[in-house]
Amino acid sequence: MPTNVERASLVSRHVQIESATLIDTRMKSTLHTIDQPATFRLGNWFRCRHELSPSDHDRLLVYVELKFEASPEGETDSGIAVVDLNATFLATYRLASASAFPEDALHHFADLNGTLNVWPYWRELVQSFAGRAGLPGVVVPVFRPRVKRIPEQKELEMPEQAAATNM
């Protein structure tokens, strides 16, 4: 059974990143410096989606939506976030004959590489915004992709047209 990393590698061998930009961010903080809880539970989530550029089918657009929450921990744990940060980054890639790649390979590439490429920007954003909200010393861990087995695909190799492309 192939893995998500193997499927993503069909694309990653032929792609060039052009940009990684922050396109949306929102933060809400109800943290007060007086009566601040001693400890917090920190959470971090992300999800990705991708599409081919409508104006240039050799350009792959990967949208990575990320979320960070800090909630008080302890006996009075309400489960309500006192710091809530959401951001969306757009990673743009040049990929000749992008539409010729299997859809699942593009999906796994977006999920793994798209997240990996924007993760340093996300870490810096969380550290900066959390500090400004009164949560000093927040460091988001490095991105560690999970290898997952996926169901067999009929076509494990790249299409002929894409295989011939040299970037």
Side-chain angles (χ1 to χ4, degrees):
M1 217 185 260
T3 66
N4 56 336
V5 174
E6 291 168 340
R7 293 303 286 168
S9 73
L10 295 178
V11 176
S12 64
R13 289 180 266 181
H14 302 277
V15 73
Q16 180 65 38
I17 190 165
E18 292 185 327
S19 66
T21 55
L22 177 65
I23 61 171
D24 184 44
T25 187
R26 292 177 305 281
M27 185 180 91
K28 180 176 182 182
S29 175
T30 57
L31 183 64
H32 300 288
T33 54
I34 301 172
D35 298 325
Q36 193 176 86
T39 59
F40 294 90
R41 181 179 15 205
L42 305 178
N44 193 54
W45 302 268
F46 72 95
R47 68 178 175 191
C48 301
R49 67 181 176 83
H50 70 279
E51 63 185 45
L52 297 180
S53 170
S55 60
D56 182 353
H57 291 279
D58 286 347
R59 191 166 275 136
L60 179 66
L61 308 176
V62 177
Y63 298 88
V64 184
E65 299 172 37
L66 302 115
K67 181 177 181 73
F68 168 83
E69 287 183 347
S71 303
E73 193 170 59
E75 295 176 21
T76 59
D77 187 357
S78 64
I80 297 172
V82 293
V83 175
D84 186 5
L85 173 63
N86 297 277
T88 302
F89 288 87
L90 170 60
T92 304
Y93 300 90
R94 173 66 61 188
L95 179 61
S97 304
S99 60
F101 285 85
E103 182 59 31
D104 79 302
L106 293 171
H107 166 77
H108 292 297
F109 172 82
D111 191 48
L112 295 171
N113 289 66
T115 307
L116 179 66
N117 291 147
V118 304
W119 200 257
Y121 303 108
W122 171 241
R123 293 180 74 215
E124 184 278 329
L125 189 73
V126 169
Q127 188 172 30
S128 176
F129 276 43
R132 291 174 194 271
L135 279 176
V138 173
V139 177
V140 174
V142 297
F143 179 67
R144 290 190 171 90
R146 293 193 177 131
V147 177
K148 301 177 209 169
R149 297 255 176 233
I150 55 174
E152 286 287 340
Q153 301 290 318
K154 289 182 181 179
E155 186 179 342
L156 281 178
E157 296 302 318
M158 288 185 308
E160 293 281 332
Q161 182 180 6
T165 303
N166 187 6
M167 301 272 324

